[in-house]
Amino acid sequence: MDIDLDEKTPTRCRSKKYMFYKARRKRKWQVLGLLLMAYVGFLALALVRKAVYYGESSMPSQLSEPERYKRDLTEENGSIQTADDENKTDSCIPRSVEEFPGNFMSLEDTQDGGFLIHILFVVYIFGAIAIVCDDYFVASLEIICDELQLSEDVAGATFMAAGSSAPELCTSLIGVFIAESDVGVGTIVGSAVFNILFIIGVCAIFAGMVVELTWWPMFRDCLFYLFSVIALVVVIHDNRVHWYEGLILFLMYLVYILVMYFNKTIHAFAERIRADFKSGNLTYDADNNRQGLLEAQKVLDSEKSTGNDEKARNQTDAETTFTNSNTESSQTVAEEDKYESPWVIPDTLVARSFWIAMLPMKVLFYVTVPDCRKPWGHWRKLYPLTFMMSIVWLVGLSYVMVWMVAIAGDALEIPDTVMGLTLLAAGTSVPDCLASLFVARDGYGDMAISNSIGSNVFDVLVCLGIPWLIRSAAIDDGEPIMITSDGLTYSALTLLSTVFFIGIAVILAKWKLGRTFGVVCLIAYVVVIALSCLYELNVFGTFNSPTCPRT
């Protein structure tokens, strides 16, 4: 009888364990599903409220006294049609495609399918920009950080953030100074939504393990990102951006750099405050912040040897510091690895196909940009020239990219903001997505999340603040920059809600990102982008002015 019990016990334990796991997973689906439904309901309610408010404010009875007097006067003079025509002309949105060179195809051919060629051009440029950033621009920035002897915190928050967000910055510059449209703002907002929902969702699904997070990096980055989005909403809510508002955004980023510089001190202070609110546990255990590198790794025991405690503390210091792929471990690996020639053919089929497709651009980059990664000769000393030529290529490629997007959007009658929210945002954020995924697969969940959220801070405060500041203060003599799309305010408010959504979702998931969490994030991304695009397309009402007629 005892033998029978011993033989059946493992099966029963496995069955109970499986049932417990299944019930817990079902409960997690229910909790996160309810959160997703509540979030979608909130977005829909905000959209309906905006539509009703706009409908009421556009009724004739809601016109102010001067507006009613002007309308009555035009009716008496019999020129109401002319007044309407002038109003439409004054309030229409100029076509950004007219600021670029002409199309190499006729409008009819572009509308009949030629726009696909322009989109293929854009996708090809995405790959070229990724090569410039990864092989040349980021490499020169790493040497600059070494030469300036910058700490990892400051280097990650400045130069390395600029390296990963260079496509967004160039797109914003093109949109402000050349296209004179909202394509740059739309790209930044869409990229921010992509980073905080899509990238985190992809990391949770394809990491190959349950990604465990530490509370401090998530709290720190989300808090400062929340302040950044609030500042963006305040700046563009009146559709005018003054030079001092751009300056405030940039100064906020300087404060962010200071926070990163004193991160360890602030972290220790926050842990002491957090411990004071814990009942019965007033000590801080560094092992609790160590990221699990294996899926089956259990909670670390509080009583470990001195060597393991020191290792855990080093791991904690690396992960609670936002470095954007520039940590101590990555530097050590980079130093040990030998220089890999760009002419080495990859092994996998997908990588080999990409290598062959991008071979013409690789040849151009190899001829025009010095490769400061080469360990021999004086190549490393040429990093300033590598830095300059990388910027030239990034600006040039971004110009062609926005040009092709403007042509495709004009042919399809799609606003520039929609193209920025979707195509440009996803394309410019693909390198960040791959970098975060690779880091998450190695077990560094905090680093992956900090990379995605931290780059958003740079996008909002620098990629928008610097172009607005320069354009308004230096070129337009202090005149404000006009934001033509009223839908961007709604998109920015939606972006603000994503911060609360991702924070609540992480807490409900108990700081563990699994496939369920990832699926919920991807669904939320699709819903947010769909509602923002429908808002920009005036599906729920005429919120935005029509596009001006072609000249």
Side-chain angles (χ1 to χ4, degrees):
M1 188 69 179
D2 294 336
I3 296 176
D4 294 336
L5 287 175
D6 292 336
E7 292 178 353
K8 294 181 180 180
T9 298
T11 305
R12 291 180 180 178
C13 291
R14 286 195 298 268
S15 178
K16 290 181 179 180
K17 186 177 180 180
Y18 173 75
M19 294 299 295
F20 175 76
Y21 172 77
K22 187 176 181 180
R24 187 175 60 179
R25 187 176 181 181
K26 182 179 180 181
R27 183 176 179 272
K28 182 180 294 185
W29 266 108
Q30 292 175 348
V31 173
L32 294 178
L34 290 175
L35 176 63
L36 178 62
M37 294 174 60
Y39 181 61
V40 173
F42 168 77
L43 296 178
L45 182 62
L47 187 60
V48 171
R49 182 182 179 277
K50 179 69 176 178
V52 173
Y53 174 78
Y54 184 86
E56 291 178 353
S57 61
S58 61
M59 294 176 61
S61 59
Q62 301 294 328
L63 294 176
S64 61
E65 290 295 332
E67 291 173 337
R68 285 201 296 266
Y69 175 76
K70 182 178 180 181
R71 188 190 62 178
D72 295 338
L73 184 60
T74 53
E75 289 177 351
E76 291 177 1
N77 294 334
S79 59
I80 186 170
Q81 185 67 30
T82 304
D84 289 342
D85 293 339
E86 292 179 356
N87 185 36
K88 290 179 180 179
T89 303
D90 294 338
S91 62
C92 67
I93 301 176
R95 295 180 180 270
S96 61
V97 69
E98 297 177 356
E99 304 295 333
F100 294 93
N103 188 3
F104 54 85
M105 301 174 62
S106 65
L107 179 61
E108 292 76 13
D109 294 338
T110 305
Q111 293 175 339
D112 291 340
F115 66 91
L116 295 175
I117 298 179
H118 296 82
I119 294 178
L120 288 178
F121 267 113
V122 174
V123 175
Y124 190 80
I125 292 175
F126 287 157
I129 290 177
I131 294 176
V132 175
C133 289
D134 296 340
D135 295 348
Y136 300 98
F137 191 56
V138 173
S140 64
L141 292 178
E142 289 177 352
I143 298 179
I144 291 175
C145 294
D146 293 338
E147 294 293 332
L148 297 178
Q149 297 181 353
L150 297 178
S151 64
E152 296 177 358
D153 303 326
V154 179
T158 54
F159 288 100
M160 301 314 299
S164 62
S165 299
E168 289 89 341
L169 178 58
C170 293
T171 303
S172 179
L173 291 172
I174 298 298
V176 172
F177 292 99
I178 298 178
E180 297 182 356
S181 67
D182 297 333
V183 63
V185 186
T187 302
I188 298 301
V189 174
S191 178
V193 178
F194 187 91
N195 290 343
I196 201 170
L197 291 179
F198 188 88
I199 292 182
I200 294 179
V202 168
C203 291
I205 294 176
F206 299 103
M209 64 182 72
V210 176
V211 180
E212 298 183 9
L213 301 179
T214 309
W215 78 273
W216 169 246
M218 187 75 179
F219 173 78
R220 177 199 63 205
D221 295 333
C222 284
L223 182 62
F224 215 94
Y225 179 54
L226 179 64
F227 292 151
S228 304
V229 177
I230 292 176
L232 177 63
V233 173
V234 173
V235 167
I236 69 173
H237 81 283
D238 58 351
N239 293 340
R240 295 173 181 267
V241 181
H242 298 271
W243 66 269
Y244 55 83
E245 293 175 331
L247 179 60
I248 291 174
L249 293 180
F250 181 68
L251 292 178
M252 289 181 62
Y253 189 72
L254 296 182
V255 175
Y256 179 63
I257 295 176
L258 291 177
V259 172
M260 294 299 104
Y261 185 78
F262 297 102
N263 174 70
K264 294 182 180 179
T265 304
I266 299 175
H267 181 202
F269 179 73
E271 286 290 352
R272 288 195 297 268
I273 295 178
R274 180 170 174 259
D276 292 340
F277 286 97
K278 280 187 175 182
S279 58
N281 184 16
L282 301 179
T283 58
Y284 168 62
D285 187 5
D287 291 335
N288 292 333
N289 283 338
R290 182 182 180 186
Q291 169 66 33
L293 298 178
L294 299 174
E295 183 179 1
Q297 183 179 11
K298 298 181 180 180
V299 179
L300 295 176
D301 188 21
S302 58
E303 297 180 355
K304 285 196 170 189
S305 61
T306 306
N308 289 337
D309 287 339
E310 183 67 24
K311 182 179 179 181
R313 280 190 289 270
N314 293 334
Q315 178 72 14
T316 302
D317 291 339
E319 292 180 344
T320 55
T321 302
F322 169 62
T323 59
N324 204 356
S325 318
N326 193 30
T327 58
E328 215 174 291
S329 60
S330 63
Q331 285 185 345
T332 304
V333 173
E335 292 175 357
E336 294 177 355
D337 289 343
K338 294 182 179 180
Y339 168 73
E340 183 178 354
S341 173
W343 312 118
V344 176
I345 301 177
D347 297 331
T348 61
L349 178 62
V350 176
R352 187 178 303 173
S353 301
F354 178 78
W355 185 88
I356 294 175
M358 301 307 301
L359 186 59
M361 301 305 301
K362 283 180 173 288
V363 173
L364 286 177
F365 299 150
Y366 186 82
V367 173
T368 58
V369 184
D371 194 350
C372 59
R373 299 174 301 167
K374 294 180 179 179
W376 58 82
H378 300 283
W379 290 101
R380 180 181 174 87
K381 296 181 180 180
L382 296 176
Y383 70 90
L385 185 58
T386 304
F387 177 76
M388 296 295 296
M389 292 304 301
S390 299
I391 293 179
V392 171
W393 271 110
L394 286 173
V395 173
L397 291 172
S398 300
Y399 179 87
V400 178
M401 177 182 67
V402 178
W403 176 22
M404 294 295 104
V405 167
I407 293 176
D410 179 71
L412 299 175
E413 295 294 340
I414 298 177
D416 295 334
T417 50
V418 175
M419 301 297 287
L421 286 169
T422 54
L423 182 62
L424 290 179
T428 54
S429 299
V430 166
D432 286 338
C433 181
L434 295 178
S436 297
L437 178 59
F438 294 153
V439 171
R441 293 180 69 90
D442 291 337
Y444 300 101
D446 290 332
M447 191 185 302
I449 304 304
S450 293
N451 182 30
S452 59
I453 300 179
S455 62
N456 283 358
V457 178
F458 184 89
D459 291 344
V460 173
L461 299 182
V462 177
C463 294
L464 292 179
I466 292 297
W468 284 342
L469 174 61
I470 297 175
R471 178 62 185 267
S472 178
I475 298 180
D476 293 342
D477 297 329
E479 293 295 325
I481 300 174
M482 301 302 299
I483 303 295
T484 58
S485 175
D486 187 52
L488 287 177
T489 304
Y490 171 80
S491 299
L493 290 172
T494 304
L495 186 61
L496 182 64
S497 66
T498 59
V499 183
F500 293 99
F501 172 78
I502 200 71
I504 297 175
V506 169
I507 294 175
L508 292 178
K510 298 181 180 180
W511 304 91
K512 296 180 180 180
L513 309 186
R515 293 184 178 179
T516 303
F517 184 90
V519 172
V520 171
C521 287
L522 293 183
I523 295 175
Y525 170 76
V526 173
V527 172
V528 169
I529 293 298
L531 290 178
S532 298
C533 292
L534 293 176
Y535 190 96
E536 290 288 342
L537 294 171
N538 291 333
V539 174
F540 302 106
T542 310
F543 304 113
N544 300 317
S545 301
T547 307
C548 296
R550 293 185 176 88
T551 56

